[in-house]
Each structure stands twice: as structure tokens, then as C-alpha cells.
Amino acid sequence: DGKGSLKMEDGTVLKPNDRYLLNEWKFRLYYTSVSTDLQTIDIYVIDCFGQMQQLSLSFNNNNN
């Protein structure tokens, strides 16, 4: 349902369907859900040769 935010380690908020240049080989993403429903997020990483990898994550929000 799109209720949540995805941030880089430095606090940069990522917008859906935008591309971001990664300056480091390793990076961290933080997703914060504001929904009680099942969430699914798809992350695409494209290298400088145009090769793409997709990562799909699904999880439930737990406020306990």
C-alpha cells in the first residue's frame, strides 16, 4: 500500500521508482513501515554494465 519510508544509512530518504548512485560497495537501507498490513518492497540494483539484480522483501509490521 506504499505506507512507509526507505532511507539510506546517511538519512537520505529514497523516493519510489527513482534511481540513486551508490558511492560505496557496501550500503545499508532502512525501511520503516507505518502500516499494520503485509508489506512488500522490491529493490533493484543496476551496475555500470547495465546488469540488474532484483531483491523482493515481504514482512509484517510488529508493534509489540
Side-chain angles (χ1 to χ4, degrees):
D1 60 7
K3 295 181 182 176
S5 65
L6 183 64
K7 295 181 182 181
M8 296 287 292
E9 190 171 15
D10 66 0
T12 302
V13 177
L14 305 180
K15 296 179 185 177
N17 302 317
D18 275 355
R19 291 183 176 197
Y20 296 88
L21 180 63
L22 299 173
N23 295 321
E24 301 293 329
W25 178 254
K26 294 182 181 181
F27 60 93
R28 290 185 183 187
L29 298 174
Y30 298 93
Y31 181 74
T32 303
S33 174
V34 292
S35 174
T36 58
D37 298 328
L38 175 70
Q39 297 278 299
T40 301
I41 184 169
D42 295 322
I43 299 171
Y44 298 86
V45 178
I46 303 170
D47 68 13
C48 59
F49 301 107
Q51 298 176 343
M52 179 177 64
Q53 289 290 321
Q54 177 185 356
L55 175 64
S56 294
L57 305 167
S58 296
F59 47 91
N60 288 315
N61 188 10
N62 184 355
N63 289 327
N64 293 336

